[in-house]
Amino acid sequence: MKALTFGKPGRIGLQDRPVPVPAVDEVLVRVAVTGICGTDRAIVLGEFPAKPGVVLGHEAAGEVAAVGPAVASVAPGDRVVVNPTFYCGRCRTCRRGLPAHCEAKDGREIGVDLDGTMAEYVVVPDRFVHRLPASMSYRRAALVEPLACVLNNLRAAGPRWDDRILVLGAGPIGALCALVLARRGARVALADRDPVRLELARTLLPREVRVRAADGAGRGAPAADTVIDTTGTLPGGILSTLAAAGTVVVMGEREAAVAEVPLRSLVTRGVRLVGAGPYRPADFELALDLAADLPLDSLVTHVLPLDRYAEALALLAVPLAGPHPLQPPAGPATGYAALKVLLASNERMAS
Ligand SMILES: [Zn+2]
Ligand SMILES: [Zn+2]
């Protein structure tokens, strides 16, 4: 099978791999589509560590192709979505009810240190495979995982009904935050500095979302009671525009990101600075349930076949040279030209 493989930072390529064989409690999924996520970008750019030789991809939906002998929850032919946030259920942290923080994650993060979904097939333990409602497209299902991340972070934010909520970063995660909040009747603004992403946000999101240009320091962003920072940079100017007793959730994940925080404002103005951690298993179930009524697929601007991965990454400002295995980057990033981009592993299933 074809598999998009990580070599080392800046080097990825299509490799020919044997189709994996499911173990006793595993499911072999014929992948339809995989979303390209900020984590995938960061891995390719060398900003997020991944295991050399690993197959990339974790936001995927597809069809069950085969199951191990102990699997009863799904059967060949079932349409499914993969929950890529594995947990062991046995370590102390799992047993304390915190599976999101499982201590046994090493070697269990698909697309990072365990072979992922940007391939024609992937094997996954049965408890991380969820059946899709008949009406849900694979395109929409591929956004269930990012929606789970968003719901987890919105819960950590815990906004009040009358809060002015500012989402920083108009990438797919920021746009998903805005979409969910607008659908719930929240007062939400979305800020970014990238003109293409601002235009996409204006075009694709509900009209209630106020889209604003802001620079990298957050200048230009409207005042808010709650800030969701999906950029992973915590722009310095944001704390000064935050209302008293406001909350900032730091959501973007960058390996070496450091922010300078004036501690006095936390003390005197009662500001909360929060990290939500990975989503819980229940968040994935909730996301799958809510996805039935949320037009998540409206954020998908491009679906490209697996062998056009270089083009797909170029749309996300990650330059690669061409369709040669494990090639180096072609040059400096040129800017975003897309919102959510999906790679189709099997084109007849891409819708
Ligand atoms: Zn992701
Ligand atoms: Zn565990």
Side-chain angles (χ1 to χ4, degrees):
M1 67 170 188
K2 282 186 289 191
L4 186 59
T5 307
F6 171 71
K8 61 181 185 179
R11 297 190 179 228
I12 62 169
L14 275 186
Q15 287 190 344
D16 208 14
R17 293 284 187 96
V19 174
V21 177
V24 61
D25 63 345
E26 282 182 338
V27 176
L28 178 69
V29 177
R30 185 180 296 119
V31 180
V33 286
T34 300
I36 303 180
C37 153
T39 308
D40 304 310
R41 281 188 83 249
I43 289 172
V44 177
L45 293 169
E47 294 167 1
F48 191 94
K51 190 173 120 185
V54 80
V55 178
L56 294 168
H58 59 271
E59 301 176 355
E63 180 186 285
V64 174
V67 297
V71 175
S73 54
V74 291
D78 284 352
R79 299 166 71 257
V80 294
V81 60
V82 173
N83 175 1
T85 303
F86 294 1
Y87 59 94
C88 75
R90 289 186 286 270
C91 71
R92 177 171 183 268
T93 309
C94 277
R95 283 188 284 107
R96 294 179 76 207
L98 299 165
H101 298 279
C102 174
E103 296 162 35
K105 282 203 174 174
D106 281 1
R108 289 172 191 250
E109 288 193 75
I110 70 169
V112 177
D113 57 14
L114 182 65
D115 281 344
T117 62
M118 289 177 181
E120 289 172 78
Y121 295 89
V122 66
V123 284
V124 185
D126 61 348
R127 59 200 178 109
F128 301 111
V129 173
H130 301 253
R131 233 196 316 252
L132 291 177
S135 58
M136 194 181 297
S137 67
Y138 289 129
R139 282 180 192 224
R140 184 175 295 194
L143 276 99
V144 167
E145 192 267 355
L147 177 61
C149 299
V150 162
L151 295 175
N152 178 40
N153 280 268
L154 294 182
R155 186 183 50 241
R160 301 177 3 160
W161 283 109
D162 58 343
D163 270 5
R164 296 158 301 168
I165 304 173
L166 168 64
V167 180
L168 289 175
I173 290 288
L176 265 180
C177 287
L179 177 66
V180 173
L181 289 165
R183 279 290 180 124
R184 302 211 58 177
R187 296 194 286 182
V188 55
L190 179 64
D192 201 299
R193 60 181 170 185
D194 185 288
V196 174
R197 290 225 140 148
L198 289 171
E199 190 49 40
L200 286 168
R202 284 192 189 100
T203 313
L204 301 174
L205 288 170
R207 262 213 301 274
E208 301 79 54
V209 178
R210 294 187 302 141
V211 179
R212 296 284 182 273
D215 68 11
R219 280 185 291 266
D225 304 287
T226 295
V227 173
I228 317 281
D229 174 25
T230 71
T231 70
T233 58
L234 189 60
I238 285 302
L239 286 180
S240 57
T241 61
L242 191 69
T247 299
V248 179
V249 179
V250 184
M251 194 175 174
E253 193 182 337
R254 292 195 182 212
E255 187 66 3
V258 172
E260 213 163 272
V261 178
L263 294 177
R264 191 154 183 268
S265 67
L266 268 63
V267 179
T268 59
R269 299 176 57 239
V271 167
R272 286 199 314 144
L273 191 54
V274 181
Y279 62 81
R280 309 183 290 200
D283 291 323
F284 195 89
E285 308 268 3
L286 176 61
L288 180 52
D289 195 18
L290 290 181
D293 298 316
L294 279 170
L296 305 176
D297 38 322
S298 64
L299 306 182
V300 175
T301 53
H302 298 77
V303 184
L304 291 172
L306 200 54
D307 30 9
R308 286 168 68 189
Y309 66 90
E311 217 175 304
L313 283 163
L315 291 166
L316 298 170
V318 180
L320 294 167
H324 311 295
L326 309 184
Q327 77 278 35
T334 46
Y336 288 101
L339 191 52
K340 193 67 179 178
V341 180
L342 308 184
L343 285 175
S345 292
N346 289 279
E347 270 190 271
R348 87 179 157 77
M349 298 162 68
S351 60

PDB file of all heavy atoms in Angstrom, residues 17 22 27 84 87 119 122-123 136 149 158 162 165 189 213 230 232-233 270 283 288 297 323:
ATOM      1  N   ARG A  17       4.375   0.116   1.501  1.00  0.00           N
ATOM      2  CA  ARG A  17       4.407  -0.648   2.746  1.00  0.00           C
ATOM      3  C   ARG A  17       3.470  -1.843   2.623  1.00  0.00           C
ATOM      4  O   ARG A  17       2.469  -1.765   1.907  1.00  0.00           O
ATOM      5  CB  ARG A  17       3.895   0.229   3.911  1.00  0.00           C
ATOM      6  CG  ARG A  17       4.782   1.411   4.264  1.00  0.00           C
ATOM      7  CD  ARG A  17       5.986   0.939   5.035  1.00  0.00           C
ATOM      8  NE  ARG A  17       6.771   2.048   5.532  1.00  0.00           N
ATOM      9  CZ  ARG A  17       6.669   2.549   6.768  1.00  0.00           C
ATOM     10  NH1 ARG A  17       5.784   2.057   7.621  1.00  0.00           N
ATOM     11  NH2 ARG A  17       7.432   3.557   7.142  1.00  0.00           N
ATOM     12  N   PRO A  22      -4.387  -6.985  11.235  1.00  0.00           N
ATOM     13  CA  PRO A  22      -4.902  -6.667  12.569  1.00  0.00           C
ATOM     14  C   PRO A  22      -4.598  -7.771  13.585  1.00  0.00           C
ATOM     15  O   PRO A  22      -4.750  -8.950  13.273  1.00  0.00           O
ATOM     16  CB  PRO A  22      -6.413  -6.522  12.350  1.00  0.00           C
ATOM     17  CG  PRO A  22      -6.706  -7.235  11.068  1.00  0.00           C
ATOM     18  CD  PRO A  22      -5.452  -7.188  10.246  1.00  0.00           C
ATOM     19  N   VAL A  27      -8.544  -3.483  14.456  1.00  0.00           N
ATOM     20  CA  VAL A  27      -9.388  -3.294  13.280  1.00  0.00           C
ATOM     21  C   VAL A  27      -8.512  -2.759  12.151  1.00  0.00           C
ATOM     22  O   VAL A  27      -7.716  -1.840  12.364  1.00  0.00           O
ATOM     23  CB  VAL A  27     -10.508  -2.268  13.600  1.00  0.00           C
ATOM     24  CG1 VAL A  27     -11.356  -1.979  12.372  1.00  0.00           C
ATOM     25  CG2 VAL A  27     -11.373  -2.779  14.752  1.00  0.00           C
ATOM     26  N   PRO A  84      -7.652   8.981  17.599  1.00  0.00           N
ATOM     27  CA  PRO A  84      -6.212   8.700  17.641  1.00  0.00           C
ATOM     28  C   PRO A  84      -5.570   8.940  19.002  1.00  0.00           C
ATOM     29  O   PRO A  84      -4.366   8.734  19.150  1.00  0.00           O
ATOM     30  CB  PRO A  84      -5.655   9.696  16.612  1.00  0.00           C
ATOM     31  CG  PRO A  84      -6.581  10.860  16.712  1.00  0.00           C
ATOM     32  CD  PRO A  84      -7.942  10.309  17.043  1.00  0.00           C
ATOM     33  N   TYR A  87      -5.146   5.528  25.046  1.00  0.00           N
ATOM     34  CA  TYR A  87      -4.795   5.481  26.463  1.00  0.00           C
ATOM     35  C   TYR A  87      -4.813   4.021  26.869  1.00  0.00           C
ATOM     36  O   TYR A  87      -5.454   3.190  26.202  1.00  0.00           O
ATOM     37  CB  TYR A  87      -5.771   6.311  27.303  1.00  0.00           C
ATOM     38  CG  TYR A  87      -7.201   5.851  27.186  1.00  0.00           C
ATOM     39  CD1 TYR A  87      -7.740   4.950  28.100  1.00  0.00           C
ATOM     40  CD2 TYR A  87      -7.990   6.274  26.125  1.00  0.00           C
ATOM     41  CE1 TYR A  87      -9.039   4.496  27.966  1.00  0.00           C
ATOM     42  CE2 TYR A  87      -9.286   5.825  25.980  1.00  0.00           C
ATOM     43  CZ  TYR A  87      -9.800   4.940  26.903  1.00  0.00           C
ATOM     44  OH  TYR A  87     -11.081   4.486  26.748  1.00  0.00           O
ATOM     45  N   ALA A 119      -2.299   6.713   4.628  1.00  0.00           N
ATOM     46  CA  ALA A 119      -1.942   5.487   3.929  1.00  0.00           C
ATOM     47  C   ALA A 119      -3.252   4.865   3.466  1.00  0.00           C
ATOM     48  O   ALA A 119      -4.331   5.331   3.840  1.00  0.00           O
ATOM     49  CB  ALA A 119      -1.212   4.533   4.878  1.00  0.00           C
ATOM     50  N   VAL A 122      -4.862   1.387   7.810  1.00  0.00           N
ATOM     51  CA  VAL A 122      -4.243   1.564   9.124  1.00  0.00           C
ATOM     52  C   VAL A 122      -4.868   0.539  10.074  1.00  0.00           C
ATOM     53  O   VAL A 122      -6.044   0.173   9.908  1.00  0.00           O
ATOM     54  CB  VAL A 122      -4.458   3.013   9.645  1.00  0.00           C
ATOM     55  CG1 VAL A 122      -5.933   3.309   9.917  1.00  0.00           C
ATOM     56  CG2 VAL A 122      -3.616   3.300  10.890  1.00  0.00           C
ATOM     57  N   VAL A 123      -4.075   0.041  11.042  1.00  0.00           N
ATOM     58  CA  VAL A 123      -4.682  -0.804  12.075  1.00  0.00           C
ATOM     59  C   VAL A 123      -4.797  -0.006  13.368  1.00  0.00           C
ATOM     60  O   VAL A 123      -3.904   0.768  13.722  1.00  0.00           O
ATOM     61  CB  VAL A 123      -3.891  -2.109  12.374  1.00  0.00           C
ATOM     62  CG1 VAL A 123      -4.095  -3.147  11.306  1.00  0.00           C
ATOM     63  CG2 VAL A 123      -2.442  -1.841  12.642  1.00  0.00           C
ATOM     64  N   MET A 136     -23.492  10.675   7.806  1.00  0.00           N
ATOM     65  CA  MET A 136     -22.296  11.507   7.940  1.00  0.00           C
ATOM     66  C   MET A 136     -21.236  11.150   6.895  1.00  0.00           C
ATOM     67  O   MET A 136     -20.813  10.003   6.797  1.00  0.00           O
ATOM     68  CB  MET A 136     -21.703  11.395   9.340  1.00  0.00           C
ATOM     69  CG  MET A 136     -20.675  12.511   9.611  1.00  0.00           C
ATOM     70  SD  MET A 136     -19.916  12.414  11.237  1.00  0.00           S
ATOM     71  CE  MET A 136     -21.331  12.658  12.299  1.00  0.00           C
ATOM     72  N   CYS A 149     -10.893  18.194  20.248  1.00  0.00           N
ATOM     73  CA  CYS A 149      -9.894  19.103  20.837  1.00  0.00           C
ATOM     74  C   CYS A 149     -10.549  20.431  21.209  1.00  0.00           C
ATOM     75  O   CYS A 149     -10.330  20.979  22.302  1.00  0.00           O
ATOM     76  CB  CYS A 149      -8.765  19.405  19.848  1.00  0.00           C
ATOM     77  SG  CYS A 149      -7.829  17.981  19.323  1.00  0.00           S
ATOM     78  N   GLY A 158     -14.700  27.646  29.908  1.00  0.00           N
ATOM     79  CA  GLY A 158     -15.906  27.835  30.710  1.00  0.00           C
ATOM     80  C   GLY A 158     -16.502  29.221  30.604  1.00  0.00           C
ATOM     81  O   GLY A 158     -16.756  29.870  31.610  1.00  0.00           O
ATOM     82  N   ASP A 162     -22.739  35.712  28.750  1.00  0.00           N
ATOM     83  CA  ASP A 162     -22.595  37.072  28.209  1.00  0.00           C
ATOM     84  C   ASP A 162     -21.150  37.416  27.864  1.00  0.00           C
ATOM     85  O   ASP A 162     -20.835  38.556  27.566  1.00  0.00           O
ATOM     86  CB  ASP A 162     -23.152  38.094  29.209  1.00  0.00           C
ATOM     87  CG  ASP A 162     -22.462  38.019  30.564  1.00  0.00           C
ATOM     88  OD1 ASP A 162     -21.794  36.994  30.834  1.00  0.00           O
ATOM     89  OD2 ASP A 162     -22.583  38.982  31.342  1.00  0.00           O
ATOM     90  N   ILE A 165     -16.106  36.540  23.471  1.00  0.00           N
ATOM     91  CA  ILE A 165     -15.066  35.518  23.305  1.00  0.00           C
ATOM     92  C   ILE A 165     -14.232  35.861  22.077  1.00  0.00           C
ATOM     93  O   ILE A 165     -14.780  36.127  21.003  1.00  0.00           O
ATOM     94  CB  ILE A 165     -15.691  34.117  23.149  1.00  0.00           C
ATOM     95  CG1 ILE A 165     -16.602  33.828  24.348  1.00  0.00           C
ATOM     96  CG2 ILE A 165     -14.603  33.048  23.040  1.00  0.00           C
ATOM     97  CD1 ILE A 165     -17.413  32.555  24.227  1.00  0.00           C
ATOM     98  N   ALA A 189     -15.534  36.662  18.334  1.00  0.00           N
ATOM     99  CA  ALA A 189     -14.699  37.312  17.317  1.00  0.00           C
ATOM    100  C   ALA A 189     -13.525  36.395  17.012  1.00  0.00           C
ATOM    101  O   ALA A 189     -13.056  35.652  17.875  1.00  0.00           O
ATOM    102  CB  ALA A 189     -14.206  38.663  17.821  1.00  0.00           C
ATOM    103  N   ALA A 213      -8.714  41.653  11.632  1.00  0.00           N
ATOM    104  CA  ALA A 213      -7.271  41.553  11.409  1.00  0.00           C
ATOM    105  C   ALA A 213      -6.545  41.984  12.680  1.00  0.00           C
ATOM    106  O   ALA A 213      -6.906  42.970  13.311  1.00  0.00           O
ATOM    107  CB  ALA A 213      -6.860  42.440  10.243  1.00  0.00           C
ATOM    108  N   THR A 230      -5.344  29.907  19.711  1.00  0.00           N
ATOM    109  CA  THR A 230      -5.015  28.702  18.940  1.00  0.00           C
ATOM    110  C   THR A 230      -3.673  28.849  18.223  1.00  0.00           C
ATOM    111  O   THR A 230      -3.265  27.949  17.486  1.00  0.00           O
ATOM    112  CB  THR A 230      -6.103  28.375  17.884  1.00  0.00           C
ATOM    113  OG1 THR A 230      -6.052  29.339  16.827  1.00  0.00           O
ATOM    114  CG2 THR A 230      -7.480  28.371  18.499  1.00  0.00           C
ATOM    115  N   GLY A 232      -0.755  29.245  19.755  1.00  0.00           N
ATOM    116  CA  GLY A 232       0.329  28.650  20.542  1.00  0.00           C
ATOM    117  C   GLY A 232       1.432  29.629  20.882  1.00  0.00           C
ATOM    118  O   GLY A 232       2.521  29.218  21.269  1.00  0.00           O
ATOM    119  N   THR A 233       1.160  30.918  20.742  1.00  0.00           N
ATOM    120  CA  THR A 233       2.216  31.906  20.989  1.00  0.00           C
ATOM    121  C   THR A 233       1.891  32.863  22.130  1.00  0.00           C
ATOM    122  O   THR A 233       2.765  33.593  22.577  1.00  0.00           O
ATOM    123  CB  THR A 233       2.473  32.748  19.728  1.00  0.00           C
ATOM    124  OG1 THR A 233       1.255  33.395  19.347  1.00  0.00           O
ATOM    125  CG2 THR A 233       2.964  31.872  18.586  1.00  0.00           C
ATOM    126  N   GLY A 270      -7.278  39.089  38.551  1.00  0.00           N
ATOM    127  CA  GLY A 270      -7.954  37.787  38.624  1.00  0.00           C
ATOM    128  C   GLY A 270      -7.997  37.049  37.309  1.00  0.00           C
ATOM    129  O   GLY A 270      -8.971  36.367  36.978  1.00  0.00           O
ATOM    130  N   ASP A 283     -14.939  13.208  25.253  1.00  0.00           N
ATOM    131  CA  ASP A 283     -15.018  14.352  24.341  1.00  0.00           C
ATOM    132  C   ASP A 283     -15.136  13.889  22.896  1.00  0.00           C
ATOM    133  O   ASP A 283     -15.776  14.545  22.072  1.00  0.00           O
ATOM    134  CB  ASP A 283     -13.769  15.239  24.463  1.00  0.00           C
ATOM    135  CG  ASP A 283     -13.705  15.961  25.788  1.00  0.00           C
ATOM    136  OD1 ASP A 283     -14.766  16.367  26.282  1.00  0.00           O
ATOM    137  OD2 ASP A 283     -12.592  16.103  26.329  1.00  0.00           O
ATOM    138  N   LEU A 288     -18.447  13.420  18.096  1.00  0.00           N
ATOM    139  CA  LEU A 288     -19.089  12.609  17.056  1.00  0.00           C
ATOM    140  C   LEU A 288     -20.600  12.840  17.068  1.00  0.00           C
ATOM    141  O   LEU A 288     -21.244  12.966  16.018  1.00  0.00           O
ATOM    142  CB  LEU A 288     -18.753  11.129  17.292  1.00  0.00           C
ATOM    143  CG  LEU A 288     -19.329  10.114  16.307  1.00  0.00           C
ATOM    144  CD1 LEU A 288     -19.015  10.471  14.872  1.00  0.00           C
ATOM    145  CD2 LEU A 288     -18.806   8.713  16.630  1.00  0.00           C
ATOM    146  N   ASP A 297     -17.756  20.056   7.655  1.00  0.00           N
ATOM    147  CA  ASP A 297     -17.151  19.927   6.328  1.00  0.00           C
ATOM    148  C   ASP A 297     -17.150  21.245   5.563  1.00  0.00           C
ATOM    149  O   ASP A 297     -16.463  21.366   4.552  1.00  0.00           O
ATOM    150  CB  ASP A 297     -17.849  18.818   5.525  1.00  0.00           C
ATOM    151  CG  ASP A 297     -19.341  18.774   5.760  1.00  0.00           C
ATOM    152  OD1 ASP A 297     -19.780  18.997   6.908  1.00  0.00           O
ATOM    153  OD2 ASP A 297     -20.092  18.537   4.806  1.00  0.00           O
ATOM    154  N   PRO A 323       7.230  15.249  -6.205  1.00  0.00           N
ATOM    155  CA  PRO A 323       6.833  13.894  -5.813  1.00  0.00           C
ATOM    156  C   PRO A 323       7.988  12.900  -5.768  1.00  0.00           C
ATOM    157  O   PRO A 323       7.925  11.839  -6.343  1.00  0.00           O
ATOM    158  CB  PRO A 323       5.825  13.524  -6.902  1.00  0.00           C
ATOM    159  CG  PRO A 323       6.272  14.278  -8.105  1.00  0.00           C
ATOM    160  CD  PRO A 323       6.893  15.554  -7.596  1.00  0.00           C
TER     161      PRO A 323
END
